[in-house]
Amino acid sequence: GLCEARRRHLSCAKKLVDQDKVFLIMNPGSAGGSPASLPYIVQRGVPSGSALGFNPEEFTSPLVFPMTASGLTQGHLGARFVARDLKVKKAGMVVLGNVEAATIAAKGFREAATREGMSVTEVTINFQDADCSAQMVQLQSRQPESVFLATDASTAIKCFTAANNLGYKPPKQFVSPIPQYIDLVPQYGGQ
């Protein structure tokens, strides 16, 4: 579960800082950027870099160097792209509801969608859900032109699989800020 993952990240950070005596922690979003370990790392004076930028605390310390925009900004940029470049008036969004990073990206998408005059229909999935079939059926019936995935990579793959099994492809593609499955976006819903 989420709690156990946080404990592992903190354990990993403690080992790196206290036992291995590292002078810098660089990561693709794991121990150094996790909400449980980042305060510990910063308190010990160890600089940290994170590739994801989804932990808001990454943007508050001079010792932390996020290598991407914040989750909020990623949501804003996603909505701007969908509204301006894809010319979408009605978007769908899948939100990984029990993961803070995803809800922050979703908040950014909602805010920018409102500014762009785009309506958003949302469905929620939880990290532990086995699949995304019910959510894809709901979106398919609501007929958004494009679907933004405010999820992690594994949940997005569940959604792509469900959409593929249903033969569902939003007319103007799936969009997401998560780089781990960027090659799957055109295959399952890109243009």
Side-chain angles (χ1 to χ4, degrees):
L2 192 57
C3 254
E4 295 201 17
R6 285 185 177 164
R7 267 189 253 122
R8 278 187 306 218
H9 288 195
L10 183 56
S11 296
C12 179
K14 285 181 176 182
K15 179 188 178 301
L16 290 170
V17 172
D18 299 334
Q19 292 175 19
D20 299 342
K21 307 287 187 204
V22 300
F23 66 92
L24 170 71
I25 296 177
M26 296 297 291
N27 65 79
S30 58
S34 82
S37 63
L38 192 60
Y40 182 85
I41 294 166
V42 169
Q43 180 185 37
R44 299 297 188 283
V46 176
S48 178
S50 172
L52 294 179
F54 281 129
N55 179 356
E57 291 183 40
E58 292 178 51
F59 300 90
T60 62
S61 170
L63 289 175
V64 181
F65 303 93
M67 292 176 258
T68 188
S70 71
L72 192 67
T73 298
Q74 290 180 42
H76 286 170
L77 293 173
R80 278 184 37 192
F81 169 74
V82 169
R84 294 180 186 181
D85 295 346
L86 299 180
K87 309 286 189 235
V88 167
K89 297 293 181 200
K90 180 181 180 182
M93 180 164 53
V94 179
V95 181
L96 185 55
N98 60 344
V99 174
E100 182 183 20
T103 59
I104 290 169
K107 178 182 178 199
F109 190 87
R110 271 186 229 102
E111 289 174 357
T114 299
R115 282 195 304 272
E116 296 291 332
M118 183 171 56
S119 68
V120 180
T121 181
E122 298 183 32
V123 295
T124 302
I125 187 168
N126 290 314
F127 187 76
Q128 67 276 13
D129 291 349
D131 74 13
C132 192
S133 296
Q135 291 84 356
M136 288 297 110
V137 167
Q138 288 175 32
L139 285 173
Q140 189 174 25
S141 71
R142 296 175 189 173
Q143 301 180 336
E145 299 167 83
S146 179
V147 175
F148 183 78
L149 299 167
T151 69
D152 69 322
S154 64
T155 304
I157 291 168
K158 290 176 193 177
C159 292
F160 290 147
T161 301
N164 190 48
N165 289 341
L166 292 166
Y168 173 54
K169 200 172 200 176
K172 294 187 178 180
Q173 79 188 52
F174 286 98
V175 175
S176 178
I178 303 295
Q180 287 95 328
Y181 55 82
I182 196 72
D183 59 322
L184 296 177
V185 173
Q187 178 183 349
Y188 284 108
Q191 295 187 19

